[in-house]
């Protein structure tokens, strides 16, 4: 993903509309959670099988909501000076430690050996 | 952002733990919105100035929550077979049309000329 | 439900702790949505059958999250000077019109006759 | 608040529309959080002063979203067999212990004496 290109598109969009003044991190966190709920709304009355087999309209809708979430997420990273790729990789390393793999004897599996 | 690398990390993490079975799009939408709220929680009692000047602890916390959101967002894209970069670019084009720029006479500004 | 009693408990709790200053409607809306997500979190990896048969621990947890949501909801009503009972009854009347009942010929059912 | 009356209105509304089948606690938690976000949306770009001085349209809108949240919350209580008033009172007692009042010497204030 060309993050620099996308950041430029997002930044120009809000600068041209004089919307930067609204993009306080508090407000952006709210907007992000509102978009996340718009994605939830698509799935709220579906059972698990229906959720796995969205029709074309619902899939297009989901794609747009996902894009909205991503835009606010990237906007937030720009405001807080966070490198998203680095943040993800660091967090996944932390998750690996938090949820260690166990072998059948309940011992931690040696990742190196496994591969 | 090296999306392929990140997708591999995310995919391997849940496959090794046998968590794939939980990653129905309905469940992922819920998890994503829960993580978005954990980001909101950091900001809920701050005023707008405080939100713009997070201390180091809160910034580290925000970075982790942003990573959690991104991970579920990318997981969702993988499940729904969505190209996130394409989704963002398409949505931003739609937003450009939805919120047209106006000049001082209320006429749409010609982007080409502006640049 | 003795709303006056509950409002007094809630009001005294935050006054004694000098938390009134944080209870701006914007902040309360955020806090309410955060608590709503904590309720969602209980259900996020459960299938529909499991969700209908919570174990005792999860039910106690859900009860607490529901209480937290209610407290912020009532707090919000106090701040915006809204009568919750009236708000619910008015909204349900609006919903009745928005989602009319149809008989088997696709005609609206006369509520009066039905009863 | 006449909870029995409101429960009857809510129950009849969904029974008549054959919507009971959708009202699994998992789905209701999602719907509740979606409505909470619709309340957040009203406040997301407002500063704290504007949030405290909603215009008439925005206040009416907030009242409706608050009602929607309350309806799903009460629906949830009915499904999980929870007495909302009792849940609130128990939770507030727990909060009193979790956030004890301190006097100027950092000692816990005796509630009885204070009154």
């Amino acid at each position: 993903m060309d993050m620099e290109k996308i950041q430029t598109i997002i930044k120009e969009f809000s600068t041209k509309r004089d919307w930067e003044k609204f993009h306080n991190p508090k407000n952006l966190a709210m907007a992000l959670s509102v978009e996340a709920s718009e994605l939830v709304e698509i799935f709220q009355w579906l059972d698990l099988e229906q959720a796995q087999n969205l029709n074309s309209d619902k899939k297009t809708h989901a794609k747009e909501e996902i894009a909205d979430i991503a835009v606010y997420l990237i906007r937030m990273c720009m405001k807080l000076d966070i490198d998203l790729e680095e943040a993800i990789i660091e967090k996944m390393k932390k998750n690996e430690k938090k949820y260690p793999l166990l072998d059948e004897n309940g011992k931690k599996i040696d990742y190196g050996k496994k591969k």
Side-chain angles (χ1 to χ4, degrees), chain A:
Chain A
M1 192 160 93
D2 186 345
M3 187 60 92
E4 217 169 307
K5 178 184 164 192
I6 285 175
Q7 287 180 336
T8 304
I9 293 172
I10 294 173
K11 173 107 181 124
E12 283 197 359
F13 181 81
S14 57
T15 307
K16 281 179 183 167
R17 281 158 188 79
D18 197 19
W19 287 358
E20 287 290 316
K21 59 189 171 195
F22 296 116
H23 288 180
N24 182 285
K26 180 176 174 115
N27 296 356
L28 288 172
M30 295 171 88
L32 198 162
S33 80
V34 167
E35 297 300 339
S37 283
E38 292 181 4
L39 183 63
V40 168
E41 200 176 6
I42 297 173
F43 295 99
Q44 66 186 348
W45 307 122
L46 304 184
D47 63 34
L48 293 173
E49 204 185 308
Q50 291 167 327
Q52 234 154 356
N53 297 287
L54 294 186
N55 64 31
S56 165
D57 274 6
K58 282 203 165 64
K59 213 194 124 176
T60 302
H61 186 184
K63 190 176 175 181
E64 289 189 1
E65 299 302 348
I66 284 169
D68 284 334
I69 295 167
V71 167
Y72 282 123
L73 195 68
I74 292 167
R75 205 80 196 84
M76 187 67 121
C77 287
M78 290 161 78
K79 287 288 171 188
L80 298 180
D81 197 21
I82 286 170
D83 180 312
L84 185 56
E85 184 167 16
E86 184 194 284
I88 294 171
I89 290 171
E90 279 179 14
K91 190 52 172 38
M92 289 306 293
K93 279 185 190 156
K94 201 172 166 178
N95 287 349
E96 294 274 350
K97 283 181 193 157
K98 194 176 169 189
Y99 304 103
L101 284 176
L102 304 175
D103 68 12
E104 59 259 54
N105 299 315
K107 290 184 188 162
K108 283 190 197 174
I109 288 172
D110 182 336
Y111 275 17
K113 272 192 190 164
K114 209 185 172 188
K115 286 174 191 162

